[in-house]
Amino acid sequence: SKMSNVVLTLKKLGIDDLVHFDFMDPPAPETLMRALELLNHLGALDDEGQMTGLGVQMSELPLEPQLAKMILVSPEYGCSAEMVAIVAMLSVPQIFLRPREQAKAADEAKAQFTHADSDHLTLLRVFDEYNMVPQNEKRSWCWDNFISQRSMISANNVRNQLIGIMKRLDLPYVSCDIKGDGSFSSMDIRKALTAGMFMQVAYRQRSGEYLTVKDNQHVAIHPSSVVNNRQDWVIFEEFALTTKNYIRTVSSTNVDWLVELAPHYFDLEDFPKSECKGELEKA
């Protein structure tokens, strides 16, 4: 992703010959190719490697391309207010605190915010509730709920910065919380998340194990996730290699959404044979 940001910036500056560009620390050719491929799949570059209108907008957002794409498509799903808050929460250090000696109490506090389908929506709930607390009570609210106040302050700052850029790009700032009571549309938000993260997908096999799509890595949902192990398809923010392969910050998605939102990526002719290919063929 970091290389993708560099490529996008260079393209914006009108530098097209990246192979012969005089990098101070030249990337491996494979890294450069992967970055170009990622940007093409996201719609930031066309098949000739030229920047698209979407790519120009993505380059204005100081974010990883996947996160930028999520914000840029979110108005189509009527949830740009929620998406900008989620992206802000993903852009700051750990929100949930879990001191070893108070792990049980911390887990109970986190459970209040849980959205069973999505770690992203769980973060959104924390953000919304924090911002409903009166200013003079925020510190004690964070303390009682094992939330990092420093990260919450940073998340609000990031959100405000992103809203400023959205205004400059004439992106509508709309909410899917139509009633104004925190009952946002889970489906619309998860669709917008999928539009940016369709390359970070895992499928639950009949054995119950998850396998990442295309590169067929065996993974498990991280224990810190609120999403259970019964979702057939999940998108994930981070791949963490510890004692085993874990995926972190997970949301459930839908095979039909994947095929609808990224038909070029899920072109079955290029797909390795697997259970997941069979499911995609049915979609």
Side-chain angles (χ1 to χ4, degrees):
S1 283
K2 285 185 176 66
M3 192 63 216
S4 302
N5 278 94
V6 172
V7 168
L8 210 51
T9 304
L10 291 172
K11 290 278 183 186
K12 186 183 171 187
L13 294 169
I15 297 159
D16 283 326
D17 187 4
L18 300 175
V19 175
H20 298 106
F21 182 72
D22 192 14
F23 288 100
M24 282 179 69
D25 184 11
E30 312 84 70
T31 307
L32 193 56
M33 284 307 297
R34 270 201 305 270
L36 289 164
E37 199 173 41
L38 175 112
L39 291 168
N40 175 246
H41 286 315
L42 287 171
L45 301 178
D46 63 21
D47 291 343
E48 275 70 55
Q50 298 303 309
M51 218 166 177
T52 62
L54 179 68
V56 172
Q57 286 187 313
M58 282 167 73
S59 71
E60 294 292 324
L61 289 158
L63 298 166
E64 290 181 5
Q66 292 97 320
L67 299 181
K69 172 83 180 270
M70 278 152 40
I71 286 181
L72 292 170
V73 301
S74 61
E76 295 170 34
Y77 299 97
C79 62
S80 55
E82 287 77 19
M83 191 54 68
V84 81
I86 290 169
V87 168
M89 291 287 269
L90 293 172
S91 304
V92 299
Q94 185 65 33
I95 298 290
F96 296 107
L97 303 175
R98 196 174 185 265
R100 189 170 293 176
E101 64 284 1
Q102 292 175 284
K104 188 170 183 288
D107 290 343
E108 285 168 3
K110 183 178 179 179
Q112 305 169 86
F113 305 107
T114 293
H115 191 295
D117 290 334
S118 171
D119 289 320
H120 298 86
L121 293 175
T122 299
L123 289 171
L124 177 61
R125 276 191 177 156
V126 174
F127 186 88
D128 284 350
E129 292 203 25
Y130 171 82
N131 283 308
M132 284 191 272
V133 175
Q135 192 61 40
N136 62 342
E137 295 172 25
K138 286 191 190 300
R139 188 174 181 182
S140 59
W141 182 88
C142 286
W143 180 264
D144 294 342
N145 288 291
F146 294 87
I147 301 288
S148 163
Q149 189 182 14
R150 184 177 292 177
S151 291
M152 293 308 303
I153 291 167
S154 295
N156 270 292
N157 290 338
V158 171
R159 182 191 66 158
N160 292 339
Q161 184 192 356
L162 292 173
I163 290 171
I165 298 170
M166 285 174 72
K167 281 180 184 163
R168 205 174 73 230
L169 296 174
D170 287 329
L171 288 172
Y173 185 72
V174 286
S175 172
C176 61
D177 177 11
I178 295 159
K179 295 179 189 167
D181 60 358
S183 57
F184 44 74
S185 166
S186 157
M187 188 178 83
D188 289 333
I189 296 170
R190 287 185 296 119
K191 266 193 163 183
L193 287 167
T194 303
M197 289 165 55
F198 58 83
M199 286 175 274
Q200 290 146 251
V201 182
Y203 169 68
R204 191 170 76 104
Q205 303 172 95
R206 282 188 284 273
S207 65
E209 272 194 308
Y210 281 95
L211 201 65
T212 57
V213 170
K214 285 211 173 177
D215 54 1
N216 290 340
Q217 292 272 346
H218 287 273
V219 292
I221 294 176
H222 195 270
S224 64
S225 174
V226 302
V227 177
N228 64 40
N229 285 310
R230 291 189 293 278
Q231 308 287 350
D232 285 337
W233 294 85
V234 293
I235 46 177
F236 58 90
E237 202 68 44
E238 186 188 350
F239 183 95
L241 182 60
T242 52
T243 46
K244 59 202 280 193
N245 294 342
Y246 281 118
I247 48 176
R248 273 198 184 123
T249 317
V250 171
S251 285
S252 66
T253 189
N254 182 306
V255 65
D256 296 329
W257 301 349
L258 293 166
V259 173
E260 174 199 335
L261 294 167
H264 51 292
Y265 187 73
F266 292 98
D267 179 359
L268 294 171
E269 283 184 25
D270 302 333
F271 237 80
K273 197 172 181 187
S274 61
E275 274 182 46
C276 120
K277 183 174 182 176
E279 291 300 312
L280 287 162
E281 281 169 340
K282 290 179 205 166

